């Protein structure tokens, strides 16, 4: 089992506020899917778009949420979103009445959940140090 240091968790927590972290998270979900939130619409499977289209789609999703993408977006990203993602997330990315997640949230649910985990770990370590 790999052990992480508090500095590792602090670094990741700080990094989680960056556009690059958001981009990497979205890209990971596009490529591998997500089943951690149990939305009524079901599990999101990964791999719906060709691997070379995923980076542009990640940028497009960032743009929907008002974020600046750290990489150039492809011209086909909007087409992929409307043909692959909009059926569940809506053309605006806001999800469909809570059945699927809102991709325009200031902090996406997966990142919010990871931040909560990291903060809990750091608090737990601090508590242990103080005892």
């Amino acid at each position: 089992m790999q052990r992480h240091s508090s500095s590792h968790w602090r670094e990741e927590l700080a990094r989680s506020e960056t556009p690059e972290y958001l981009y990497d998270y979205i890209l990971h979900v596009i490529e591998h899917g997500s089943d951690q939130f149990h939305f009524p619409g079901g599990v999101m499977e990964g791999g719906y778009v060709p691997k070379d289209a995923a980076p542009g789609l990640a940028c497009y999703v960032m743009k929907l949420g008002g974020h600046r993408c750290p990489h150039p977006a492809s011209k086909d990203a909007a087409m992929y979103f409307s043909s692959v993602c909009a059926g569940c997330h809506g053309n605006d990315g806001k999800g469909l009445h809570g059945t699927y997640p809102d991709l325009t949230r200031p902090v996406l649910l997966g990142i919010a959940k990871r931040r909560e985990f990291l903060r809990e770990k750091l608090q737990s370590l601090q508590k242990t140090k103080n005892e």
Side-chain angles (χ1 to χ4, degrees), residues 84-116:
V84 176
C85 310
C88 297
H89 296 285
N91 288 327
D92 59 2
K94 294 186 182 291
L96 298 176
H97 311 291
T99 304
Y100 298 95
D102 179 351
L103 302 178
T104 67
R105 293 170 45 106
V107 179
L108 294 181
L109 289 174
I111 292 176
K113 185 176 181 179
R114 181 66 181 172
R115 286 180 185 171
E116 182 181 329

Side-chain angles (χ1 to χ4, degrees), residues 30-118:
I30 291 168
E31 292 177 344
H32 303 284
S34 176
D35 66 353
Q36 64 179 322
F37 297 111
H38 312 290
F39 275 90
V43 172
M44 180 189 152
E45 301 291 333
Y48 281 112
V49 298
K51 195 156 181 74
D52 64 334
L57 184 53
C59 285
Y60 187 81
V61 171
M62 289 180 73
K63 182 180 172 185
L64 286 174
H67 302 281
R68 180 190 57 78
C69 185
H71 304 283
S74 71
K75 61 182 179 197
D76 297 334
M79 182 270 307
Y80 278 113
F81 188 87
S82 65
S83 64
V84 176
C85 310
C88 297
H89 296 285
N91 288 327
D92 59 2
K94 294 186 182 291
L96 298 176
H97 311 291
T99 304
Y100 298 95
D102 179 351
L103 302 178
T104 67
R105 293 170 45 106
V107 179
L108 294 181
L109 289 174
I111 292 176
K113 185 176 181 179
R114 181 66 181 172
R115 286 180 185 171
E116 182 181 329
F117 168 81
L118 293 167

Side-chain angles (χ1 to χ4, degrees), residues 2 11 13 15 17 23 26 29 40 43 46-47 52-53 65-67 76 82 96 98 105 123 125-127:
Q2 184 179 6
E11 289 168 13
L13 188 56
R15 214 172 52 252
E17 309 254 346
Y23 171 82
I26 294 169
V29 171
V43 172
D52 64 334
H67 302 281
D76 297 334
S82 65
L96 298 176
R105 293 170 45 106
Q123 286 174 344
L125 283 173
Q126 188 61 39
K127 208 179 213 183

